[in-house]
Amino acid sequence: MDQTSHPPITPCVALLLALVYGCTIALQTHMYVSMSLILFFLAWLKRRFLLIIFKRLVMLNTLIVFIALTLYWQHQEHLAGLMLLRSNLMLLCILLLFHGCNEFTIAIAMQRLALPHKITTLFFFTSKSIFLIRHELVLFKNTLRIRGFTPKTDLLSYKTLAGFIGTLVIKALERSVALQKAMLLRGFQGEIYTLSRRQSLSSNDAIATLLTLISLFWHQGYLL
Amino acid sequence: MHISEGVLRPEILIGGAVLSTALVFYAFKTLKNEEIPKTAVLSALFFLASFIHIPLGPTSVHLVLGGIVGALLGPRAFVAIFVALFLQGILFGYGGLTTLGVNVFNLAFPTLAGYFLFRLHPHTLWKKTALWFCIGFVPLGLSAFLLSLTLALNGEAFVSAAQLAFLAHLPVMFIEGVITLFALRFIEKVAPAWLEVV
């Protein structure tokens, strides 16, 4: 997602919707078609990215399908079907709500939800560190590729990768000291102030909230 | 390593959430402002470990680095792992929100083993080698055991899946042990001050 553009659903609303939808679906023992109502709306909002989202959903299904197969093997067809449906509804909801978001979007959403400053600060610092360490990870992979190194199942590969992990740990710890000094220097009082403008609630937020509630409490079209 | 959304029974989800909330709340409450940077960078490292793939025969496995994070953070690892798993669940769908409690407990609690092992003082090179291998091997082994236990507690029908899940993690435990051993050796050579236990 472009850093300057706003997501169709405000991230803090998306967090709450994902939590309410997930917690309610997790408790269900019977599934209905109407439970997917919100997903159709979200899919329409993210229609340009549906292929990417479904590819990720398929990838995430590896463990779920593995467990479902073991259940099916033991003639627990209903349980296997229930688990597959429940998992996919919940995963699809999260993927559709947060596709295109990054760590910083989530950190800002946590701050908007008025959570304790210590938690939001930790989310901001973690997001920043993820951004920096990910950059180093890409650089390292590129360096190995340029040098013609292909990782194999041997001790040399493991030592090389372990050396990289060691470098990451040292750099991360050095960065934490620099960050701590910066906090002291700037008179950090336990609160982070962001420059991003507060995103006001949109009509999409209202529709998504309404559809989530309908999906969860209006049961139509029995599936299993 | 993460249990996906929709797999577990509500009793287990609630139990995991209650346990993890208590532990994470305590760790948050006692977390000092000056400890936030170190916790954050190691949380980021734990988050990104999932993207570091290690070749294993025709396939590859990803690292967890719970042992290193636990060794360097101690009980604060609960906070670091909570933040990392929350972000992984939201941004990539690994785990999720309802299974966050169970996943945090399964991955964070065993890191305490890494913390205690790191505090032992081996006197010979062989003992040190074995200990540093264990800092990677034991927490991941315990996490795999807790993952299997969680699946087994989910119902009799899940016992086969639990057994297979544990077996699937056996090679990963050895790789995590080997990588942790070499990574700690590297840190000892390059920046030994970071390994000094206060």
Side-chain angles (χ1 to χ4, degrees):
Chain A
M1 187 182 62
D2 182 1
Q3 291 282 330
T4 55
S5 69
H6 288 307
I9 304 282
T10 313
C12 56
V13 175
L15 272 177
L16 293 174
L17 291 182
L19 195 66
V20 171
Y21 188 79
C23 288
T24 315
I25 293 288
L27 301 176
Q28 302 299 317
T29 48
H30 297 287
M31 303 304 286
Y32 298 88
V33 178
S34 58
M35 286 173 175
S36 57
L37 207 59
I38 176 65
L39 302 181
F40 284 107
F41 176 65
L42 295 175
W44 180 76
L45 288 178
K46 297 279 171 85
R47 56 194 177 278
R48 281 168 53 207
F49 312 103
L50 278 184
L51 189 65
I52 304 167
I53 291 171
F54 276 104
K55 272 185 186 170
R56 179 160 283 279
L57 184 67
V58 169
M59 194 200 76
L60 290 171
N61 262 286
T62 317
L63 178 72
I64 301 163
V65 170
F66 160 73
I67 296 174
L69 282 174
T70 61
L71 293 177
Y72 192 79
W73 189 258
Q74 297 168 79
H75 306 291
Q76 301 272 355
E77 291 87 357
H78 179 265
L79 192 57
L82 178 71
M83 198 198 70
L84 268 175
L85 266 175
R86 224 166 37 184
S87 297
N88 280 288
L89 283 182
M90 291 157 83
L91 281 174
L92 193 56
C93 180
I94 285 184
L95 293 177
L96 287 167
L97 278 170
F98 296 101
H99 174 77
C101 291
N102 58 29
E103 312 79 68
F104 293 103
T105 324
I106 305 299
I108 292 169
M110 300 296 275
Q111 195 189 37
R112 297 279 189 267
L113 286 170
L115 291 171
H117 297 311
K118 212 188 270 183
I119 298 176
T120 54
T121 304
L122 193 60
F123 268 91
F124 274 108
F125 286 174
T126 305
S127 303
K128 174 77 174 166
S129 304
I130 289 172
F131 176 79
L132 294 170
I133 298 174
R134 188 187 283 141
H135 178 67
E136 275 160 20
L137 199 64
V138 172
L139 279 180
F140 176 75
K141 281 182 180 171
N142 288 344
T143 309
L144 288 186
R145 201 175 300 133
I146 290 165
R147 289 181 183 175
F149 175 81
T150 315
K152 292 177 196 143
T153 312
D154 58 19
L155 212 54
L156 175 70
S157 297
Y158 290 174
K159 274 187 176 175
T160 308
L161 290 164
F164 171 60
I165 302 292
T167 311
L168 279 186
V169 172
I170 293 167
K171 281 190 175 181
L173 292 170
E174 282 171 352
R175 192 171 291 128
S176 76
V177 173
L179 194 57
Q180 195 186 335
K181 283 178 183 167
M183 280 164 67
L184 280 172
L185 192 69
R186 291 173 186 175
F188 179 75
Q189 295 292 317
E191 192 173 352
I192 291 260
Y193 301 94
T194 56
L195 297 174
S196 64
R197 280 184 301 158
R198 184 175 286 268
Q199 188 183 350
S200 52
L201 298 182
S202 65
S203 54
N204 282 340
D205 295 332
I207 296 169
T209 308
L210 186 69
L211 286 176
T212 304
L213 294 175
I214 293 172
S215 301
L216 296 175
F217 300 110
W218 183 63
H219 293 164
Q220 287 295 314
Y222 180 76
L223 275 173
L224 57 100
Chain B
M1 208 82 254
H2 307 74
I3 297 182
S4 302
E5 297 269 39
V7 174
L8 299 176
R9 277 163 39 192
E11 302 93 295
I12 295 175
L13 291 175
I14 293 166
V18 169
L19 259 176
S20 288
T21 305
L23 292 165
V24 172
F25 183 77
Y26 173 75
F28 256 125
K29 205 76 185 156
T30 52
L31 182 74
K32 292 172 192 149
N33 276 348
E34 56 268 28
E35 289 174 320
I36 292 177
K38 191 178 175 187
T39 310
V41 292
L42 289 169
S43 176
L45 195 70
F46 186 87
F47 175 91
L48 288 169
S50 308
F51 300 94
I52 303 172
H53 292 274
I54 308 292
L56 178 67
T59 181
S60 68
V61 294
H62 73 75
L63 290 175
V64 178
L65 298 184
I68 290 183
V69 171
L72 296 172
L73 280 180
R76 304 283 175 267
F78 275 98
V79 181
I81 291 173
F82 162 75
V83 174
L85 290 183
F86 182 86
L87 289 173
Q88 283 186 346
I90 288 289
L91 297 173
F92 307 112
Y94 299 154
L97 288 178
T98 62
T99 50
L100 187 64
V102 171
N103 285 329
V104 167
F105 185 79
N106 286 354
L107 282 162
F109 189 69
T111 63
L112 289 178
Y115 175 70
F116 291 120
L117 286 170
F118 189 62
R119 261 143 183 79
L120 297 176
H121 297 283
H123 298 295
T124 62
L125 182 65
W126 277 109
K127 278 184 186 170
K128 189 191 260 187
T129 304
L131 198 67
W132 283 1
F133 173 83
C134 286
I135 288 174
F137 180 87
V138 174
L140 194 66
L142 288 173
S143 288
F145 171 73
L146 287 175
L147 168 90
S148 303
L149 186 69
T150 310
L151 285 174
L153 288 174
N154 203 37
E156 211 175 306
F158 288 84
V159 172
S160 315
Q163 288 167 341
L164 288 171
F166 186 79
L167 288 176
H169 280 95
L170 278 175
V172 190
M173 291 177 215
F174 280 98
I175 289 179
E176 183 90 6
V178 171
I179 296 285
T180 304
L181 163 65
F182 288 134
L184 288 174
R185 270 192 185 168
F186 179 88
I187 298 169
E188 190 187 34
K189 279 180 194 161
V190 178
W194 288 114
L195 295 186
E196 282 170 16
V197 179
V198 182

